[in-house]
Amino acid sequence: MMKVLIVEDDPLHRSYLHEAVNAALPECDTVIEAENGTVGEKLARDHKSAHIVMDLQMASRNGIEAARTIWKERPETRILFWSNYSDEAYVRGVSRIVPDGAAYGYVLKSASDERLKLALRSIFIESQCVIDREVRGLQQKSLGQTNGFTDSEYEILVDIALGLTDRAIAKRRGLSLRSVQNRLQQLYDKLDVYQSAGDDHEDGRFNLRARAVTVAFLRKLLNYSALERAEAELQEWLDGK
Amino acid sequence: MMKVLIVEDDPLHRSYLHEAVNAALPECDTVIEAENGTVGEKLARDHKSAHIVMDLQMASRNGIEAARTIWKERPETRILFWSNYSDEAYVRGVSRIVPDGAAYGYVLKSASDERLKLALRSIFIESQCVIDREVRGLQQKSLGQTNGFTDSEYEILVDIALGLTDRAIAKRRGLSLRSVQNRLQQLYDKLDVYQSAGDDHEDGRFNLRARAVTVAFLRKLLNYSALERAEAELQEWLDGK
DNA sequence: TAACAAGCTGCGGGTTTACGCAAGACGGCG
DNA sequence: CGCCGTCTTGCGTAAACCCGCAGCTTGTTA
């Protein structure tokens, strides 16, 4: 007997998932649905759900937040993330919250029926991690170093994206002013903010700090959800003086 | 006899739309589908489509871009935008490209079947504009002045979001340096960047410029698609010396 | 243990931002 | 016409930012 919880905004996708679960998991006898992260968390708690399919980006409370609190309460929960996009921001967000040894998956909505069903079985039955090929690529790149970003670089990227001053960042991260600026420089370097600036004449130069954020956005290193989470963390920190 | 073109990423939504069109418009005998903006444009041209349902945010070429080129070729085309979100950025983007007197609509994906079908009939048969209540609110706010943004303020917001320096903005918009900075100040004012900054002591102050962009993002004044379009325009301008 | 790369930090200075102050310019309106 | 509000511009200043240079602390490798 197995129970599966589906957390997904869009009614169409929700019913599609429902069918997919029924088809892929005959051993599953009950499927419950939640239409956003908040009720998702609640249902997971009430039903002690061990098998969850979760959409990222939902209006009320996004999948990453929901997954975090769920995993905090029951780290052995198996969660399959089912998302439209493979932004590095999402991938980073997810891999930062998955508990040690937990089984989880990440498949794109553009994947075929087969892939989805296979992933469902692999994760829920075999407790095996299944990460979409495309997503996998990002993961490699971001954890390895090649053309990817260090955690500290990513951290400072988020900080300037939030609009903190150098001084504020220094205080927050426990660094000196100069160190913060060092990190900024290497960030600018990696994001290629210089070349796009007016190379020869100072005709159309960019504001490096602002440009870096934009470039990061355009490259999907950042997205709305990541900003939202970072902002929440920031407020938390501000309140805690 | 009527032909309807559907431009939509998601196969699920596409087939849902297909059914909705069939149900709402018995006089429609052919429905064609495109899975992104690029082929949407092409099909619209080939079939001289006069009735289009268009998703915003698609991977290859987003709905606003596609609609713009379509309307440029055939301004009397009726387009119903069908979107997940009602970000001010989208609303602004759409209302900037709709030709004078054209019939168009904007309904949210969260709307009921009834609403969608009604909108289809109103726009395609009656040539009447139908704008979702929620979206309407934004439109009012942004075109009127109450708590909304002037075009010039919005313009400069985009410019700093792109990462331009004050000087570059001045050159681009044909203003003096000081004027640019004036507009920035009133932007900061409206975005409430000050209060959130460290009120009393200079403990955790914000970089106003960067913060403004973030706040705009969080308030959905900007989004990825808007940035993308702005970036394209910028490149165009840069190339044109 | 020596050597070396990588990261942190202070110093100094050139540039860019943020913004108060004040002098025009333009467009209504009584 | 004169008054007034809005927008533009120049000047000047304090702060913030970008960054080269050089001295230190680490963890790593020979």
Side-chain angles (χ1 to χ4, degrees), chain A residues 10 13 161-163 207 211 214, chain B residues 10 13 161-163 207 211 214:
Chain A
D10 186 323
H13 287 167
L162 284 174
N207 176 318
R211 184 64 183 168
T214 305
Chain B
D10 188 322
H13 288 166
L162 284 174
N207 175 319
R211 184 65 182 167
T214 306

Side-chain angles (χ1 to χ4, degrees), chain A residues 10 12-13 16 160-165 168 171 203 205-207 209-211 214 217-218 220 224 227 231, chain B residues 10 12-13 16 160-165 168 171 203 205-207 209-211 214 217-218 220 224 231:
Chain A
D10 186 323
L12 257 49
H13 287 167
Y16 169 74
I160 60 170
L162 284 174
L164 295 171
T165 60
K171 203 159 298 183
D203 201 42
R205 206 195 235 70
F206 284 110
N207 176 318
R209 178 177 283 246
R211 184 64 183 168
T214 305
F217 247 101
L218 291 175
K220 317 279 184 90
Y224 179 82
L227 248 194
E231 173 74 11
Chain B
D10 188 322
L12 258 49
H13 288 166
Y16 169 74
I160 61 169
L162 284 174
L164 295 171
T165 59
K171 202 158 298 180
D203 201 41
R205 208 196 234 69
F206 284 110
N207 175 319
R209 178 177 282 248
R211 184 65 182 167
T214 306
F217 246 101
L218 291 175
K220 315 280 183 91
Y224 179 82
E231 173 73 12

Side-chain angles (χ1 to χ4, degrees), chain A residues 157 160-161 184 187-188 190-198 204-219 221-222, chain B residues 158-165 172 207 209-210 213 227-228 230-235 238:
Chain A
L157 169 61
I160 60 170
L184 278 177
L187 182 69
Y188 297 157
K190 287 212 182 171
L191 284 175
D192 243 14
V193 188
Y194 296 106
Q195 61 127 40
S196 58
R205 206 195 235 70
F206 284 110
N207 176 318
L208 297 179
R209 178 177 283 246
R211 184 64 183 168
V213 175
T214 305
V215 171
F217 247 101
L218 291 175
R219 291 206 198 162
L221 291 172
L222 286 178
Chain B
V158 170
D159 283 340
I160 61 169
L162 284 174
L164 295 171
T165 59
R172 178 135 120 106
N207 175 319
R209 178 177 282 248
V213 176
L227 248 194
E228 202 178 23
E231 173 73 12
E233 279 175 25
L234 172 63
Q235 288 306 329
L238 283 178

Side-chain angles (χ1 to χ4, degrees), chain A residues 5 10 23 32 37-38 42 49 51 55 82 85 92 116 126 128 138 164 167 170 178 186 193-194 202 206 224 231 240:
Chain A
L5 168 61
D10 186 323
I32 41 183
T38 314
K42 185 171 176 351
S49 297
H51 309 90
D55 187 21
W82 194 52
Y85 309 103
R92 245 176 218 281
L116 174 58
E126 319 283 353
Q128 220 176 224
L138 286 180
L164 295 171
R167 193 182 346 263
R178 190 61 181 88
Q186 61 187 109
V193 188
Y194 296 106
E202 80 287 317
F206 284 110
Y224 179 82
E231 173 74 11

